[in-house]
Amino acid sequence: MSKGHATAWAQLPVSLNQLCLATVLRCGQSFRWKASGPDEWSCGFSDRIISLRQSPTHLHYRATFPSPPPKSAKDDTAEIVKDYFNLSIDLAALYEKWSLADPNFKKKAGEFKGVRMLRQDPWECLIGFICSSNNNISRIGQMVDKLCATYGTPLGTITHTSTNPLSPSSPSSENKTPPTEVAYYSFPTIEALTTPDVEETLKKLGFGYRAKYIYKTACMVHKDRPKGFLNTLRDEKDYKEAHAELIQFMGVGPKVADCVCLMSLDKMGAVPVDTHVWQIATRDYKFGKGKHRSLTPVVYEAVGDLFRELWGDAAGWAHSVLFTADLRTFSDRLENTKTTTTTTVKSKTKVKVEVKEEEEDEKIKLEDVKVEEVEGEEVKTIEKRVRKRGANGEVKAEVVVKTEEVTERRTRRRRG
DNA sequence: TATCGACCTCA
DNA sequence: GAGGTCGAT
């Protein structure tokens, strides 16, 4: 039982190929779903808590309202759920298409069915991903919880029953944790995050430098944009336009903007390139063939283009499948097929090779990388030009620094 | 255009 | 050091 007014459980026909709840709700799209039971998930929406369960053939849902709804009101929770999970899109058909176009996708997809993009509220999505920089899913979740508890509206409580999978062998006794009442809140409105105290409060709550970003962005959206601005990016702007609008906000770079485009603005081709995706591109798709030492804006876009060419219009959706497969949380699923390649830098030697007096030779690249590979050992020679400057900033000399990096690669198969 | 240090906290 | 961004150079 929970405080509040819960509707009866209802269901929607949804196969596991179309949606895998346990994966989709934990793969870093939304940070607000809580496990409220062994196979139950709950999340606060604007005026109600929605709880979900899944069987092989159905998605079960129910709503818990803070106060009894008028008898006349008909429950629109089904509509909310269909919309939130983008259920009008046939995911299985997309998997077919991607598998045909890409053997690597096909290989990974078997263990990761039903990974679809949510269709979240753009404002919540924006703030959630501003929190995501230099951060991990679990802490982002904790931060968003605090944000909601502090600036959101209470929606009631849900009784959480044991989610501890530890001892299914003795269901009768010991290891059961007692049920607890957990409070749920709505996500704060835009306006709620524009009060002058917000930055300081969030700092105290452990948001770090993101506190300022959130406050500033809230102010920008609220004061400098027309009402409903973020939602208009869905229909009135295409992907590029929406992306350009989003990176105007404080704390929003290309990656965060792509997350918002993909997960809340119906831009299925948006591919957020974070360090994971960058790894996937270089490791599994040989992107750049060892060039590119950092993820500059140009390289960022090139990675997205690579995947868009490979997977087509809904590349962002496809990317999410491989991204999820790469997450530590789910790494056990690939145990049987996986080969892991670990690379360790064995040695690194820097040698200053020559000193040039004030030479302006545009032909020398600022950085030149040569790679040789011998029996699992990779020797990279990096030539980097470093300018020594005097007190006035004038170039006094240029030093070419050669770095030899010896990398050892070990590939091993885990039990299979 | 690309690179670099700083930024908050927690692991 | 992390599932990034900002501001300066």
Short mmCIF file of all heavy atoms in Angstrom, two decimals, chain A residues 243-279:
data_model
loop_
_atom_site.label_atom_id
_atom_site.label_comp_id
_atom_site.label_asym_id
_atom_site.label_seq_id
_atom_site.Cartn_x
_atom_site.Cartn_y
_atom_site.Cartn_z
N HIS A 243 19.75 21.49 -32.45
CA HIS A 243 21.06 21.35 -31.83
C HIS A 243 21.70 22.72 -31.62
O HIS A 243 22.25 23.02 -30.56
CB HIS A 243 21.95 20.47 -32.72
CG HIS A 243 23.22 20.00 -32.08
ND1 HIS A 243 24.38 20.73 -32.11
CD2 HIS A 243 23.50 18.89 -31.36
CE1 HIS A 243 25.33 20.07 -31.44
NE2 HIS A 243 24.82 18.95 -30.98
N ALA A 244 21.61 23.56 -32.65
CA ALA A 244 22.20 24.91 -32.57
C ALA A 244 21.54 25.72 -31.46
O ALA A 244 22.21 26.49 -30.76
CB ALA A 244 22.05 25.61 -33.91
N GLU A 245 20.25 25.56 -31.29
CA GLU A 245 19.55 26.28 -30.23
C GLU A 245 20.01 25.79 -28.85
O GLU A 245 20.22 26.57 -27.93
CB GLU A 245 18.03 26.10 -30.35
CG GLU A 245 17.40 26.76 -31.56
CD GLU A 245 17.40 28.29 -31.47
OE1 GLU A 245 17.78 28.84 -30.42
OE2 GLU A 245 17.03 28.93 -32.48
N LEU A 246 20.15 24.50 -28.73
CA LEU A 246 20.46 23.92 -27.42
C LEU A 246 21.85 24.30 -26.91
O LEU A 246 22.03 24.54 -25.71
CB LEU A 246 20.32 22.40 -27.47
CG LEU A 246 18.88 21.89 -27.59
CD1 LEU A 246 18.85 20.40 -27.89
CD2 LEU A 246 18.11 22.19 -26.31
N ILE A 247 22.83 24.35 -27.82
CA ILE A 247 24.18 24.64 -27.32
C ILE A 247 24.35 26.10 -26.90
O ILE A 247 25.40 26.49 -26.41
CB ILE A 247 25.30 24.26 -28.33
CG1 ILE A 247 25.09 24.96 -29.67
CG2 ILE A 247 25.37 22.76 -28.53
CD1 ILE A 247 26.21 24.68 -30.65
N GLN A 248 23.29 26.88 -27.08
CA GLN A 248 23.31 28.25 -26.56
C GLN A 248 23.25 28.25 -25.03
O GLN A 248 23.70 29.18 -24.37
CB GLN A 248 22.11 29.06 -27.07
CG GLN A 248 22.03 29.19 -28.58
CD GLN A 248 23.30 29.76 -29.18
OE1 GLN A 248 23.80 30.78 -28.73
NE2 GLN A 248 23.83 29.06 -30.18
N PHE A 249 22.70 27.22 -24.47
CA PHE A 249 22.49 27.20 -23.02
C PHE A 249 23.78 26.89 -22.26
O PHE A 249 24.65 26.18 -22.75
CB PHE A 249 21.39 26.19 -22.65
CG PHE A 249 20.05 26.56 -23.22
CD1 PHE A 249 19.40 25.71 -24.09
CD2 PHE A 249 19.45 27.77 -22.89
CE1 PHE A 249 18.17 26.06 -24.63
CE2 PHE A 249 18.21 28.13 -23.42
CZ PHE A 249 17.57 27.27 -24.29
N MET A 250 23.86 27.43 -21.09
CA MET A 250 25.05 27.28 -20.26
C MET A 250 25.21 25.83 -19.79
O MET A 250 24.28 25.25 -19.23
CB MET A 250 24.92 28.22 -19.05
CG MET A 250 26.11 28.26 -18.12
SD MET A 250 27.57 28.99 -18.83
CE MET A 250 27.00 30.65 -19.16
N GLY A 251 26.37 25.28 -20.04
CA GLY A 251 26.62 23.90 -19.63
C GLY A 251 26.20 22.88 -20.67
O GLY A 251 26.25 21.69 -20.42
N VAL A 252 25.78 23.38 -21.84
CA VAL A 252 25.34 22.48 -22.90
C VAL A 252 26.31 22.52 -24.07
O VAL A 252 26.42 23.53 -24.76
CB VAL A 252 23.93 22.85 -23.39
CG1 VAL A 252 23.48 21.89 -24.48
CG2 VAL A 252 22.95 22.83 -22.23
N GLY A 253 27.03 21.46 -24.27
CA GLY A 253 27.92 21.34 -25.42
C GLY A 253 27.29 20.40 -26.44
O GLY A 253 26.13 20.02 -26.30
N PRO A 254 28.06 20.02 -27.44
CA PRO A 254 27.53 19.16 -28.50
C PRO A 254 26.96 17.83 -27.99
O PRO A 254 25.94 17.36 -28.49
CB PRO A 254 28.73 18.91 -29.41
CG PRO A 254 29.89 19.61 -28.81
CD PRO A 254 29.43 20.44 -27.68
N LYS A 255 27.62 17.24 -27.03
CA LYS A 255 27.18 15.92 -26.56
C LYS A 255 25.84 16.00 -25.83
O LYS A 255 24.92 15.23 -26.10
CB LYS A 255 28.26 15.31 -25.68
CG LYS A 255 28.01 13.86 -25.33
CD LYS A 255 27.31 13.76 -23.98
CE LYS A 255 27.02 12.31 -23.65
NZ LYS A 255 26.37 12.21 -22.33
N VAL A 256 25.75 16.94 -24.91
CA VAL A 256 24.51 17.11 -24.17
C VAL A 256 23.37 17.50 -25.12
O VAL A 256 22.26 16.98 -25.03
CB VAL A 256 24.67 18.16 -23.05
CG1 VAL A 256 23.33 18.52 -22.43
CG2 VAL A 256 25.62 17.64 -21.97
N ALA A 257 23.67 18.38 -26.06
CA ALA A 257 22.64 18.80 -27.02
C ALA A 257 22.14 17.60 -27.82
O ALA A 257 20.94 17.46 -28.08
CB ALA A 257 23.21 19.86 -27.96
N ASP A 258 23.04 16.72 -28.19
CA ASP A 258 22.62 15.53 -28.93
C ASP A 258 21.76 14.60 -28.07
O ASP A 258 20.82 13.99 -28.57
CB ASP A 258 23.85 14.78 -29.47
CG ASP A 258 24.27 15.29 -30.84
OD1 ASP A 258 23.39 15.72 -31.62
OD2 ASP A 258 25.47 15.29 -31.14
N CYS A 259 22.10 14.49 -26.80
CA CYS A 259 21.28 13.67 -25.91
C CYS A 259 19.85 14.21 -25.87
O CYS A 259 18.89 13.45 -25.95
CB CYS A 259 21.86 13.65 -24.49
SG CYS A 259 23.35 12.68 -24.35
N VAL A 260 19.72 15.52 -25.75
CA VAL A 260 18.40 16.12 -25.67
C VAL A 260 17.65 15.95 -27.00
O VAL A 260 16.47 15.63 -27.02
CB VAL A 260 18.50 17.61 -25.28
CG1 VAL A 260 17.14 18.27 -25.26
CG2 VAL A 260 19.17 17.75 -23.92
N CYS A 261 18.36 16.15 -28.09
CA CYS A 261 17.75 15.95 -29.42
C CYS A 261 17.21 14.53 -29.57
O CYS A 261 16.09 14.31 -29.99
CB CYS A 261 18.77 16.21 -30.52
SG CYS A 261 19.05 17.96 -30.86
N LEU A 262 18.05 13.59 -29.21
CA LEU A 262 17.71 12.18 -29.41
C LEU A 262 16.63 11.69 -28.45
O LEU A 262 15.73 10.96 -28.83
CB LEU A 262 18.98 11.33 -29.24
CG LEU A 262 18.82 9.81 -29.35
CD1 LEU A 262 18.36 9.41 -30.74
CD2 LEU A 262 20.12 9.10 -28.99
N MET A 263 16.74 12.09 -27.19
CA MET A 263 15.89 11.49 -26.16
C MET A 263 14.65 12.28 -25.82
O MET A 263 13.85 11.85 -25.00
CB MET A 263 16.73 11.25 -24.90
CG MET A 263 17.94 10.37 -25.18
SD MET A 263 19.05 10.25 -23.79
CE MET A 263 20.49 9.54 -24.57
N SER A 264 14.51 13.44 -26.41
CA SER A 264 13.30 14.20 -26.10
C SER A 264 12.73 14.98 -27.27
O SER A 264 11.61 15.45 -27.23
CB SER A 264 13.58 15.17 -24.95
OG SER A 264 14.35 16.27 -25.38
N LEU A 265 13.50 15.14 -28.35
CA LEU A 265 13.04 16.01 -29.43
C LEU A 265 12.77 15.28 -30.75
O LEU A 265 12.67 15.92 -31.80
CB LEU A 265 14.06 17.14 -29.66
CG LEU A 265 14.27 18.11 -28.48
CD1 LEU A 265 15.33 19.15 -28.83
CD2 LEU A 265 12.95 18.80 -28.11
N ASP A 266 12.67 13.98 -30.69
CA ASP A 266 12.35 13.19 -31.89
C ASP A 266 13.40 13.25 -32.99
O ASP A 266 13.09 12.99 -34.15
CB ASP A 266 11.00 13.64 -32.50
CG ASP A 266 9.84 13.46 -31.53
OD1 ASP A 266 9.98 12.65 -30.60
OD2 ASP A 266 8.81 14.13 -31.72
N LYS A 267 14.63 13.61 -32.62
CA LYS A 267 15.67 13.64 -33.65
C LYS A 267 16.40 12.30 -33.64
O LYS A 267 17.41 12.13 -32.95
CB LYS A 267 16.67 14.79 -33.41
CG LYS A 267 16.03 16.13 -33.07
CD LYS A 267 15.02 16.60 -34.10
CE LYS A 267 14.46 17.96 -33.73
NZ LYS A 267 13.16 18.25 -34.38
N MET A 268 15.90 11.37 -34.39
CA MET A 268 16.41 10.00 -34.31
C MET A 268 17.82 9.83 -34.85
O MET A 268 18.48 8.84 -34.60
CB MET A 268 15.46 9.04 -35.05
CG MET A 268 14.05 9.03 -34.47
SD MET A 268 12.94 7.96 -35.39
CE MET A 268 13.41 6.34 -34.78
N GLY A 269 18.28 10.82 -35.61
CA GLY A 269 19.61 10.72 -36.18
C GLY A 269 20.70 11.34 -35.31
O GLY A 269 21.88 11.26 -35.65
N ALA A 270 20.31 11.93 -34.20
CA ALA A 270 21.30 12.54 -33.31
C ALA A 270 22.12 11.45 -32.62
O ALA A 270 21.57 10.53 -32.02
CB ALA A 270 20.61 13.40 -32.27
N VAL A 271 23.43 11.54 -32.73
CA VAL A 271 24.32 10.55 -32.11
C VAL A 271 25.22 11.25 -31.08
O VAL A 271 26.19 11.90 -31.44
CB VAL A 271 25.21 9.85 -33.16
CG1 VAL A 271 26.13 8.84 -32.49
CG2 VAL A 271 24.36 9.18 -34.22
N PRO A 272 24.89 11.12 -29.82
CA PRO A 272 25.74 11.72 -28.77
C PRO A 272 27.07 10.98 -28.70
O PRO A 272 27.10 9.79 -28.45
CB PRO A 272 24.94 11.50 -27.48
CG PRO A 272 23.56 11.12 -27.91
CD PRO A 272 23.72 10.44 -29.24
N VAL A 273 28.14 11.69 -28.94
CA VAL A 273 29.45 11.05 -28.92
C VAL A 273 30.17 11.36 -27.61
O VAL A 273 30.70 12.44 -27.42
CB VAL A 273 30.33 11.50 -30.10
CG1 VAL A 273 31.65 10.76 -30.10
CG2 VAL A 273 29.60 11.28 -31.42
N ASP A 274 30.14 10.43 -26.70
CA ASP A 274 30.89 10.58 -25.46
C ASP A 274 32.10 9.65 -25.55
O ASP A 274 32.37 9.08 -26.59
CB ASP A 274 30.02 10.24 -24.25
CG ASP A 274 29.47 8.83 -24.35
OD1 ASP A 274 30.03 8.02 -25.11
OD2 ASP A 274 28.49 8.52 -23.67
N THR A 275 32.82 9.51 -24.46
CA THR A 275 34.03 8.71 -24.54
C THR A 275 33.73 7.24 -24.91
O THR A 275 34.51 6.62 -25.60
CB THR A 275 34.83 8.75 -23.23
OG1 THR A 275 33.97 8.38 -22.17
CG2 THR A 275 35.37 10.12 -22.97
N HIS A 276 32.56 6.74 -24.45
CA HIS A 276 32.17 5.37 -24.82
C HIS A 276 32.01 5.22 -26.33
O HIS A 276 32.57 4.32 -26.94
CB HIS A 276 30.83 5.00 -24.18
CG HIS A 276 30.94 4.53 -22.78
ND1 HIS A 276 30.61 3.27 -22.37
CD2 HIS A 276 31.36 5.17 -21.68
CE1 HIS A 276 30.82 3.15 -21.08
NE2 HIS A 276 31.27 4.29 -20.63
N VAL A 277 31.23 6.09 -26.89
CA VAL A 277 30.93 6.02 -28.33
C VAL A 277 32.20 6.24 -29.14
O VAL A 277 32.42 5.60 -30.17
CB VAL A 277 29.86 7.06 -28.70
CG1 VAL A 277 29.59 7.05 -30.19
CG2 VAL A 277 28.57 6.77 -27.93
N TRP A 278 33.02 7.12 -28.66
CA TRP A 278 34.32 7.38 -29.26
C TRP A 278 35.15 6.11 -29.27
O TRP A 278 35.77 5.74 -30.27
CB TRP A 278 34.99 8.49 -28.44
CG TRP A 278 36.42 8.79 -28.73
CD1 TRP A 278 37.45 8.69 -27.84
CD2 TRP A 278 36.98 9.28 -29.94
NE1 TRP A 278 38.62 9.08 -28.43
CE2 TRP A 278 38.36 9.45 -29.72
CE3 TRP A 278 36.46 9.57 -31.19
CZ2 TRP A 278 39.22 9.90 -30.71
CZ3 TRP A 278 37.33 10.03 -32.18
CH2 TRP A 278 38.68 10.20 -31.93
N GLN A 279 35.14 5.39 -28.15
CA GLN A 279 35.82 4.09 -28.06
C GLN A 279 35.26 3.10 -29.07
O GLN A 279 35.99 2.41 -29.77
CB GLN A 279 35.59 3.47 -26.67
CG GLN A 279 36.13 4.27 -25.53
CD GLN A 279 37.44 3.71 -25.04
OE1 GLN A 279 38.20 3.18 -25.84
NE2 GLN A 279 37.70 3.83 -23.75
#
